[in-house]
Amino acid sequence: MRFLHTSDWHLGRRFHEADVIDAQRAFLTHIHATARDREVDAILVAGDIYDRAIPSLDAVRLFDSALTQLAELHIPIIMISGNHDSAHRLGVGASVLARAGVHLRTDPDSACTRPVLLEDEHGTVAVYSIPYLEPSLTHEGLDADKSHQAVTTAAMDRIRADLASYPPNTRSIVIAHAFVAGGESSTSERDITVGGLDYVAASTFHDIDYVALGHLHGAQNVNDRIHYSGSPLAYSFSEAHHTKTLTIVDMAADGTVTLDRVNTPVPRPLACLKGTLKDLLTDPAHEPLTGSWLQVTLTDPALPYEPMSQLRRRFPYVLSLVPPDPGQRRRTGEHSTYTQRLQGRNDLDIACDFVTKVRGDAPTPAEHVLLRQAVEHAQHTAHEETV
């Protein structure tokens, strides 16, 4: 039996200031095409469908369009809620959608004991689901301690008890959204730490033929049976080294699996640059990156004047600017006082530098206009008060 495993769509999310709704639409179309061309028997979506518990209207429309498109394949689609999703909102209409072959599993009380049963010439594959389990909200219902390990163990105990009611040769899959020990994280995943107990041991899923995981954005194997498909789109510069993929899973008659990763469309390559502003603006070696989304780390001894606007003349897709390290300035002997650093600078420059230092990105042109208006208003008010 063949499955397509995907996760972490994060519909509605932006990449820094860039709108990626078209890129998300492209990878959803790619999922449909891949499932059709590779003749998969079911699609497994391991959570974080949306980026927010209350998604934007554009995100909801995109999800609706994707479900309509995928349902045309007439194969089961099994989806769980992730830590970014609202389980209740995502699960609305689940019983009606199930009639169309779209199985939304968002309620842990029923998801663990209501597998989707799939049949082939070798027998049954029971696909169980563990939607994201927030320990503080689910531990009582699962009769478990308040930790990710405890609630996941309790859910797996229920799954194994139900699986035991099927014939011994029944193959098994678990779809789960969790941070399983051994996985490599990125900065774009929301922290799910609760009292430091955010990890779930891989051994928790013993005796399951394949575990389709979501949450971590890099495609990776925890072991030969436990796999993260990763997000089909990058959502942070820590993912610049990722190759974004979908995972095709072929399950044999004895439950063993082989995996094939299919690359997803890349809207624009990511890159990280580091150096002085002069070097970045003049070095011809950087010319191939002019079309990439960039994170730039400056190494100048002091923050140059309006570095983002200068960089964008050469690199129009700079999205993140990391200012010079103050510690480096101290190590190089620069000990100017705050008053000295302000000398010769106007109020607008100081406000813009503050935004850049706190946020890491210089103000956008629209923000620059708002800051200028605010400074002018403050100056006008101060002048009136002194008259």
Side-chain angles (χ1 to χ4, degrees), residues 28 31 39 74 91 100 131 146 195 201 241 255 288 330 336 350 358 365 384:
L28 290 170
I31 289 172
E39 299 181 337
H74 301 293
K146 197 186 298 185
H241 65 288
R330 287 193 296 269
S336 59
I350 294 168
V358 172
E384 288 184 337

Side-chain angles (χ1 to χ4, degrees), residues 236-251:
S236 74
F237 281 101
S238 67
E239 301 171 56
H241 65 288
H242 290 180
T243 299
K244 296 301 183 180
T245 61
L246 309 174
T247 304
I248 300 296
V249 183
D250 283 308
M251 179 172 283

Side-chain angles (χ1 to χ4, degrees), residues 150-162:
V151 295
T152 306
T153 297
M156 283 303 305
D157 288 344
R158 293 187 178 190
I159 287 173
R160 290 193 185 87
D162 187 78

Side-chain angles (χ1 to χ4, degrees), residues 217-247:
H217 288 182
Q220 55 196 290
N221 296 336
V222 176
N223 58 37
D224 58 354
R225 296 179 302 102
I226 303 175
H227 180 74
Y228 282 100
S229 66
S231 62
L233 195 66
Y235 290 112
S236 74
F237 281 101
S238 67
E239 301 171 56
H241 65 288
H242 290 180
T243 299
K244 296 301 183 180
T245 61
L246 309 174
T247 304

